Coordinates of all heavy atoms in Angstrom, one line a residue:
M1 N 95.6 112.8 92.8 CA 96.4 111.9 93.7 C 95.5 111.0 94.5 O 94.4 111.4 95.0 CB 97.1 112.8 94.8 CG 98.3 113.5 94.2 SD 99.9 112.9 94.9 CE 100.0 114.0 96.3
V2 N 95.9 109.7 94.5 CA 95.1 108.8 95.3 C 96.0 108.2 96.4 O 97.2 108.2 96.3 CB 94.6 107.6 94.4 CG1 93.6 108.1 93.4 CG2 95.7 106.8 93.7
V3 N 95.4 107.7 97.5 CA 96.1 107.1 98.6 C 96.1 105.6 98.4 O 95.0 105.0 98.3 CB 95.5 107.4 99.9 CG1 96.3 106.8 101.0 CG2 95.5 108.9 100.1
K4 N 97.3 105.0 98.2 CA 97.3 103.5 98.0 C 97.9 102.9 99.3 O 98.8 103.4 99.9 CB 98.3 103.2 96.8 CG 97.6 103.4 95.5 CD 98.4 102.7 94.4 CE 97.6 102.5 93.1 NZ 98.4 101.9 92.1
V5 N 97.4 101.7 99.6 CA 97.9 100.9 100.7 C 98.3 99.5 100.1 O 97.7 99.0 99.2 CB 96.9 100.7 101.8 CG1 96.5 102.1 102.4 CG2 95.6 100.0 101.4
K6 N 99.4 99.0 100.7 CA 99.8 97.7 100.4 C 100.2 96.9 101.6 O 100.8 97.5 102.5 CB 101.1 97.8 99.5 CG 100.8 97.6 98.0 CD 102.1 97.4 97.2 CE 101.8 96.7 96.0 NZ 102.9 96.5 95.1
I7 N 99.8 95.7 101.7 CA 100.2 94.8 102.8 C 101.1 93.7 102.3 O 100.7 93.0 101.4 CB 99.0 94.1 103.5 CG1 97.9 95.2 103.8 CG2 99.4 93.4 104.7 CD1 96.5 94.5 104.2
D8 N 102.3 93.6 102.9 CA 103.1 92.5 102.6 C 102.8 91.4 103.5 O 103.2 91.3 104.7 CB 104.6 92.9 102.7 CG 105.6 91.8 102.3 OD1 105.1 90.6 102.3 OD2 106.7 92.1 101.9
R9 N 101.9 90.5 103.1 CA 101.4 89.5 104.0 C 102.5 88.4 104.4 O 102.3 87.7 105.4 CB 100.1 88.8 103.4 CG 99.1 89.9 103.2 CD 97.8 89.4 102.6 NE 96.9 89.0 103.7 CZ 96.4 87.7 103.9 NH1 96.8 86.8 103.1 NH2 95.6 87.5 104.8
Q10 N 103.6 88.4 103.7 CA 104.7 87.5 104.1 C 105.4 88.0 105.3 O 105.8 87.3 106.2 CB 105.7 87.4 102.9 CG 105.2 86.9 101.6 CD 105.3 85.4 101.6 OE1 104.8 84.7 102.5 NE2 105.9 84.9 100.5
K11 N 105.5 89.4 105.3 CA 106.2 90.0 106.5 C 105.4 90.1 107.7 O 105.9 90.2 108.8 CB 106.6 91.5 106.1 CG 107.8 91.6 105.3 CD 108.2 93.1 105.2 CE 109.4 93.4 104.4 NZ 109.6 94.8 104.2
C12 N 104.1 90.1 107.5 CA 103.1 90.4 108.7 C 103.3 89.3 109.8 O 103.4 88.1 109.5 CB 101.7 90.3 108.1 SG 100.5 90.3 109.4
V13 N 103.4 89.8 111.0 CA 103.6 88.9 112.2 C 102.3 88.9 113.0 O 102.3 88.5 114.2 CB 104.8 89.3 113.0 CG1 106.1 89.1 112.2 CG2 104.7 90.7 113.5
V14 N 101.2 89.3 112.4 CA 99.9 89.3 113.0 C 99.8 90.0 114.4 O 99.3 89.5 115.4 CB 99.3 87.8 113.2 CG1 97.8 87.8 113.3 CG2 99.7 87.0 111.9
A15 N 100.4 91.2 114.4 CA 100.4 92.0 115.7 C 99.1 92.8 115.8 O 98.7 93.3 116.9 CB 101.6 92.9 115.7
H16 N 98.4 93.0 114.7 CA 97.1 93.6 114.6 C 97.0 95.1 115.0 O 95.9 95.6 115.3 CB 96.1 92.8 115.5 CG 95.6 91.6 114.7 ND1 94.7 90.7 115.2 CD2 95.8 91.2 113.4 CE1 94.5 89.7 114.4 NE2 95.2 90.0 113.3
F17 N 98.1 95.8 115.0 CA 98.1 97.2 115.2 C 97.3 97.9 114.0 O 96.7 98.9 114.2 CB 99.5 97.8 115.3 CG 100.2 97.4 116.6 CD1 101.2 96.5 116.5 CD2 99.8 97.9 117.8 CE1 101.8 96.0 117.7 CE2 100.4 97.5 119.0 CZ 101.4 96.6 118.9
C18 N 97.5 97.4 112.9 CA 96.8 98.0 111.7 C 95.3 98.0 111.9 O 94.6 98.9 111.5 CB 97.2 97.3 110.4 SG 96.9 95.5 110.4
L19 N 94.8 96.9 112.5 CA 93.3 96.8 112.7 C 92.9 97.8 113.7 O 91.8 98.3 113.7 CB 93.0 95.4 113.2 CG 92.7 94.3 112.2 CD1 93.8 94.1 111.2 CD2 92.5 93.0 112.9
F20 N 93.8 98.2 114.6 CA 93.5 99.1 115.7 C 93.5 100.6 115.1 O 92.5 101.3 115.3 CB 94.5 99.0 116.8 CG 94.3 100.1 117.8 CD1 93.3 100.0 118.8 CD2 95.2 101.2 117.9 CE1 93.2 101.0 119.7 CE2 95.0 102.2 118.8 CZ 94.0 102.1 119.8
Y21 N 94.5 100.9 114.3 CA 94.6 102.2 113.8 C 93.7 102.5 112.6 O 93.3 103.7 112.4 CB 96.0 102.5 113.4 CG 96.9 102.7 114.6 CD1 97.7 101.7 115.1 CD2 96.8 103.9 115.4 CE1 98.5 101.9 116.2 CE2 97.6 104.1 116.5 CZ 98.4 103.1 116.9 OH 99.2 103.2 118.1
A22 N 93.4 101.5 111.8 CA 92.6 101.8 110.6 C 91.6 100.6 110.4 O 91.7 99.8 109.4 CB 93.4 101.9 109.3
P23 N 90.6 100.5 111.3 CA 89.8 99.3 111.3 C 88.8 99.2 110.1 O 88.3 98.1 109.8 CB 89.0 99.4 112.6 CG 89.1 100.9 113.0 CD 90.4 101.4 112.5
T24 N 88.6 100.3 109.5 CA 87.7 100.3 108.3 C 88.4 99.8 107.1 O 87.8 99.4 106.1 CB 87.0 101.6 108.0 OG1 88.0 102.6 107.8 CG2 86.1 102.0 109.2
V25 N 89.7 99.9 107.1 CA 90.5 99.5 105.9 C 91.1 98.1 106.1 O 91.1 97.3 105.1 CB 91.7 100.5 105.7 CG1 92.6 100.1 104.5 CG2 91.2 102.0 105.5
F26 N 91.7 97.8 107.3 CA 92.3 96.5 107.4 C 91.4 95.6 108.3 O 91.0 96.0 109.4 CB 93.7 96.7 108.2 CG 94.6 97.6 107.4 CD1 95.0 98.9 107.9 CD2 95.2 97.2 106.2 CE1 95.8 99.7 107.2 CE2 96.0 98.1 105.5 CZ 96.4 99.3 106.0
I27 N 91.2 94.5 107.7 CA 90.3 93.5 108.4 C 91.0 92.1 108.5 O 91.8 91.8 107.6 CB 88.9 93.4 107.7 CG1 89.1 92.9 106.2 CG2 88.1 94.6 107.7 CD1 87.9 92.5 105.5
P28 N 90.7 91.4 109.6 CA 91.4 90.1 109.7 C 90.8 89.1 108.7 O 89.6 89.1 108.6 CB 91.1 89.7 111.2 CG 89.9 90.5 111.6 CD 89.9 91.7 110.7
M29 N 91.7 88.4 108.1 CA 91.2 87.4 107.1 C 91.5 86.0 107.7 O 92.5 85.7 108.3 CB 92.0 87.5 105.8 CG 92.0 88.9 105.2 SD 90.5 89.4 104.5 CE 90.4 88.3 103.1
L30 N 90.5 85.1 107.5 CA 90.7 83.7 107.9 C 91.6 83.0 106.8 O 91.7 83.5 105.7 CB 89.3 83.0 107.9 CG 88.4 83.6 109.0 CD1 87.0 83.0 108.9 CD2 89.0 83.4 110.4
P31 N 92.3 82.0 107.2 CA 92.3 81.3 108.5 C 93.3 81.9 109.5 O 93.1 81.7 110.7 CB 92.7 79.9 108.1 CG 93.6 80.0 107.0 CD 93.1 81.3 106.2
E32 N 94.3 82.5 109.1 CA 95.4 82.8 110.0 C 95.3 84.2 110.7 O 96.0 84.5 111.6 CB 96.8 82.6 109.4 CG 97.3 83.7 108.5 CD 96.6 83.8 107.1 OE1 95.4 84.0 107.1 OE2 97.3 83.7 106.1
G33 N 94.3 85.0 110.3 CA 94.0 86.2 110.9 C 94.9 87.4 110.4 O 94.9 88.5 111.0
K34 N 95.7 87.1 109.4 CA 96.5 88.2 108.8 C 95.5 89.2 108.2 O 94.4 88.8 107.7 CB 97.4 87.7 107.8 CG 98.6 87.0 108.4 CD 99.6 86.6 107.3 CE 100.8 85.9 108.0 NZ 101.9 85.6 107.0
P35 N 95.9 90.5 108.2 CA 94.9 91.5 107.7 C 94.9 91.5 106.1 O 95.8 91.1 105.4 CB 95.5 92.8 108.1 CG 97.0 92.5 108.2 CD 97.1 91.1 108.6
G36 N 93.7 91.9 105.7 CA 93.5 92.1 104.3 C 92.8 93.5 104.1 O 92.4 94.0 105.1
V37 N 92.8 94.0 102.9 CA 92.1 95.3 102.7 C 90.6 95.0 102.6 O 90.2 94.0 102.0 CB 92.6 95.9 101.4 CG1 91.8 97.2 101.1 CG2 94.1 96.2 101.5
A38 N 89.8 95.8 103.3 CA 88.4 95.6 103.3 C 87.9 95.7 101.8 O 88.4 96.5 101.0 CB 87.7 96.7 104.1
E39 N 86.9 94.9 101.6 CA 86.4 94.7 100.2 C 86.2 96.0 99.4 O 86.6 96.1 98.2 CB 85.1 93.9 100.2 CG 85.0 93.1 99.0 CD 83.8 92.1 99.1 OE1 83.4 91.7 100.2 OE2 83.4 91.6 98.0
Q40 N 85.5 97.0 100.0 CA 85.2 98.2 99.3 C 86.4 99.0 98.8 O 86.3 99.9 98.0 CB 84.2 99.1 100.0 CG 84.7 99.8 101.3 CD 84.5 99.0 102.5 OE1 84.5 97.8 102.5 NE2 84.2 99.7 103.6
F41 N 87.6 98.8 99.4 CA 88.8 99.5 99.1 C 89.8 98.7 98.2 O 90.8 99.3 97.8 CB 89.5 100.0 100.4 CG 88.7 100.9 101.3 CD1 88.5 100.5 102.6 CD2 88.1 102.0 100.8 CE1 87.7 101.3 103.4 CE2 87.3 102.8 101.6 CZ 87.1 102.4 102.9
R42 N 89.4 97.5 97.9 CA 90.4 96.7 97.2 C 90.6 97.2 95.8 O 89.7 97.6 95.1 CB 89.9 95.2 97.1 CG 90.1 94.5 98.4 CD 89.6 93.1 98.4 NE 89.5 92.6 99.8 CZ 88.8 91.6 100.2 NH1 88.2 90.8 99.3 NH2 88.7 91.3 101.4
L43 N 91.9 97.0 95.4 CA 92.3 97.3 94.0 C 92.2 96.1 93.2 O 92.9 95.1 93.5 CB 93.7 97.9 94.0 CG 94.2 98.5 92.7 CD1 93.4 99.7 92.2 CD2 95.7 98.9 92.9
N44 N 91.4 96.1 92.2 CA 91.2 94.9 91.3 C 90.9 93.6 92.1 O 91.3 92.5 91.7 CB 92.4 94.7 90.4 CG 92.7 95.9 89.5 OD1 91.8 96.6 89.1 ND2 93.9 96.2 89.3
G45 N 90.2 93.8 93.2 CA 89.8 92.6 94.0 C 90.9 92.0 94.8 O 90.7 90.9 95.5
K46 N 92.1 92.6 94.8 CA 93.3 92.0 95.6 C 93.1 92.3 97.0 O 92.7 93.4 97.5 CB 94.6 92.7 95.1 CG 95.0 92.3 93.7 CD 96.4 92.8 93.4 CE 96.4 93.6 92.1 NZ 97.6 94.3 92.0
I47 N 93.4 91.3 97.8 CA 93.3 91.5 99.3 C 94.4 92.3 99.9 O 94.3 92.7 101.0 CB 93.0 90.2 100.1 CG1 94.2 89.2 99.9 CG2 91.8 89.5 99.6 CD1 94.2 88.1 101.0
D48 N 95.5 92.3 99.2 CA 96.7 93.0 99.8 C 97.0 94.4 99.2 O 98.1 95.0 99.5 CB 97.9 92.1 99.6 CG 98.2 91.8 98.2 OD1 97.4 92.1 97.3 OD2 99.3 91.2 97.9
E49 N 96.1 94.9 98.4 CA 96.3 96.2 97.8 C 95.0 97.0 97.7 O 94.0 96.4 97.3 CB 96.9 96.0 96.4 CG 97.8 97.1 96.0 CD 98.5 96.8 94.7 OE1 98.7 95.6 94.3 OE2 98.9 97.7 94.0
G50 N 95.1 98.3 98.0 CA 93.8 99.0 97.9 C 94.0 100.5 97.7 O 95.2 101.0 97.8
I51 N 92.9 101.2 97.5 CA 92.9 102.6 97.3 C 91.9 103.1 98.4 O 90.8 102.7 98.4 CB 92.5 103.1 95.9 CG1 93.6 102.7 94.9 CG2 92.2 104.6 95.9 CD1 93.3 103.0 93.5
V52 N 92.3 104.1 99.2 CA 91.4 104.6 100.2 C 91.3 106.1 100.0 O 92.1 106.8 99.4 CB 92.0 104.3 101.7 CG1 92.1 102.8 101.9 CG2 93.3 105.1 101.9
P53 N 90.1 106.7 100.5 CA 89.9 108.1 100.4 C 90.9 108.9 101.3 O 91.4 108.4 102.3 CB 88.5 108.3 100.9 CG 88.1 107.1 101.6 CD 89.0 106.0 101.1
D54 N 91.1 110.1 100.8 CA 92.0 111.0 101.6 C 91.7 111.1 103.1 O 92.6 111.3 103.9 CB 91.9 112.4 100.9 CG 93.3 112.9 100.4 OD1 94.2 112.0 100.4 OD2 93.4 114.0 100.0
S55 N 90.4 111.0 103.4 CA 90.0 111.2 104.8 C 90.6 110.1 105.6 O 90.6 110.2 106.9 CB 88.5 111.2 104.8 OG 88.0 110.0 104.3
L56 N 91.0 109.0 105.0 CA 91.6 107.9 105.8 C 93.1 107.9 105.8 O 93.8 107.0 106.3 CB 91.0 106.5 105.3 CG 89.6 106.3 105.6 CD1 89.1 105.1 104.9 CD2 89.4 106.1 107.1
Y57 N 93.7 108.9 105.1 CA 95.2 108.9 105.0 C 95.9 108.9 106.3 O 96.8 108.1 106.5 CB 95.6 110.2 104.2 CG 97.1 110.3 104.0 CD1 97.7 109.4 103.1 CD2 97.8 111.2 104.7 CE1 99.1 109.5 103.0 CE2 99.2 111.3 104.5 CZ 99.8 110.5 103.6 OH 101.2 110.5 103.4
E58 N 95.5 109.7 107.3 CA 96.1 109.7 108.6 C 96.0 108.4 109.3 O 97.0 107.9 109.9 CB 95.5 110.8 109.5 CG 95.8 112.2 109.0 CD 97.3 112.5 108.9 OE1 98.1 112.0 109.7 OE2 97.7 113.2 107.9
A59 N 94.9 107.8 109.2 CA 94.7 106.5 109.9 C 95.6 105.4 109.3 O 96.2 104.6 110.0 CB 93.2 106.0 109.7
V60 N 95.7 105.3 108.0 CA 96.5 104.3 107.3 C 98.0 104.6 107.5 O 98.8 103.7 107.7 CB 96.2 104.0 105.8 CG1 94.8 103.3 105.7 CG2 96.2 105.2 105.0
K61 N 98.3 105.9 107.6 CA 99.7 106.3 107.9 C 100.1 105.8 109.3 O 101.2 105.4 109.5 CB 99.9 107.8 107.8 CG 100.4 108.3 106.5 CD 101.6 107.6 106.1 CE 102.6 108.3 105.3 NZ 103.6 107.5 104.7
E62 N 99.2 106.0 110.3 CA 99.4 105.5 111.6 C 99.6 104.0 111.6 O 100.5 103.5 112.3 CB 98.3 105.9 112.6 CG 98.3 107.3 113.1 CD 99.6 107.7 113.8 OE1 99.9 107.0 114.8 OE2 100.2 108.6 113.3
A63 N 98.8 103.3 110.9 CA 99.0 101.8 110.8 C 100.4 101.5 110.2 O 101.1 100.6 110.7 CB 97.9 101.2 109.9
E64 N 100.8 102.2 109.2 CA 102.1 102.0 108.6 C 103.2 102.2 109.6 O 104.1 101.4 109.8 CB 102.3 102.9 107.4 CG 103.6 102.8 106.7 CD 103.8 103.9 105.7 OE1 103.6 105.1 106.0 OE2 104.2 103.6 104.5
K65 N 103.1 103.3 110.3 CA 104.1 103.7 111.3 C 104.2 102.7 112.5 O 105.3 102.5 113.0 CB 103.7 105.1 111.9 CG 104.9 106.0 112.1 CD 104.5 107.3 112.8 CE 103.4 108.1 112.1 NZ 102.9 109.2 113.0
N66 N 103.1 102.2 112.8 CA 103.0 101.3 114.0 C 103.1 99.8 113.7 O 103.2 99.0 114.6 CB 101.8 101.6 114.8 CG 101.8 102.9 115.5 OD1 102.5 103.0 116.6 ND2 101.2 103.9 115.0
C67 N 103.1 99.4 112.5 CA 103.3 98.0 112.1 C 104.7 97.6 112.5 O 105.7 98.1 112.0 CB 103.0 97.8 110.6 SG 103.4 96.1 110.1
P68 N 104.9 96.6 113.4 CA 106.2 96.2 113.9 C 107.0 95.5 112.8 O 108.3 95.5 113.0 CB 105.9 95.3 115.1 CG 104.5 94.8 114.8 CD 103.8 95.9 114.1
S69 N 106.4 95.0 111.8 CA 107.2 94.3 110.8 C 107.4 95.1 109.5 O 108.0 94.5 108.6 CB 106.6 92.9 110.5 OG 105.3 93.1 110.0
G70 N 106.9 96.3 109.5 CA 107.1 97.1 108.2 C 106.3 96.5 107.1 O 106.7 96.6 105.9
A71 N 105.2 95.8 107.4 CA 104.5 95.1 106.3 C 103.5 96.0 105.6 O 103.1 95.7 104.5 CB 103.7 94.0 106.9
I72 N 103.3 97.2 106.1 CA 102.3 98.1 105.5 C 103.0 99.3 104.8 O 103.9 99.9 105.4 CB 101.3 98.6 106.5 CG1 100.4 97.4 107.0 CG2 100.4 99.7 105.9 CD1 99.4 97.8 108.0
K73 N 102.6 99.5 103.6 CA 103.2 100.7 102.8 C 102.0 101.5 102.4 O 101.0 101.0 101.9 CB 104.0 100.2 101.6 CG 105.2 99.5 101.9 CD 106.3 100.4 102.5 CE 107.4 99.6 103.1 NZ 107.6 99.6 104.6
V74 N 102.1 102.8 102.6 CA 101.1 103.8 102.2 C 101.8 104.8 101.4 O 102.8 105.4 101.7 CB 100.5 104.5 103.5 CG1 99.5 105.6 103.1 CG2 99.8 103.4 104.4
Y75 N 101.2 105.1 100.2 CA 101.8 106.2 99.4 C 100.7 106.9 98.6 O 99.7 106.3 98.3 CB 102.9 105.6 98.5 CG 102.6 104.4 97.8 CD1 102.2 104.4 96.5 CD2 102.7 103.1 98.4 CE1 101.9 103.2 95.8 CE2 102.4 101.9 97.8 CZ 102.0 102.0 96.4 OH 101.7 100.9 95.8
K76 N 101.1 108.1 98.3 CA 100.2 108.9 97.4 C 100.7 108.8 96.0 O 101.9 108.9 95.8 CB 100.1 110.3 97.9 CG 99.3 110.5 99.2 CD 98.9 111.9 99.4 CE 98.0 112.0 100.6 NZ 97.4 113.3 100.8
E77 N 99.8 108.6 95.1 CA 100.2 108.4 93.7 C 99.4 109.3 92.7 O 98.2 109.5 92.9 CB 99.9 107.0 93.3 CG 100.9 106.4 92.3 CD 100.7 104.9 92.1 OE1 99.6 104.5 91.7 OE2 101.7 104.2 92.5
Ligands
LIG1 S1 100.3 95.8 112.1 FE1 101.7 94.8 110.6 S2 102.3 92.9 111.6 FE2 100.5 93.6 112.6 S3 98.8 92.6 111.6 FE3 99.0 94.6 110.7 S4 100.4 94.2 108.9 FE4 100.6 92.5 110.3

């Protein structure tokens, strides 16, 4: 099982809660400051999709729960 994260950057309203709850996974991207997945966790180099270790599951789940626009999805696969 792996932990996958996805950011719907269209839905994102740049509230930055995800950066607070999982700062090692979600990083602000220029120019508009919307979050992207940090480089080391990216899936096939995509900025909106990644795989994170189990140890970060709770953190990314908190980000998912607190994102006001429902832009973050976390699932185990
Ligand atoms: S918490 Fe949600 S709305 Fe806020 S920056 Fe992150 S993805 Fe965007």
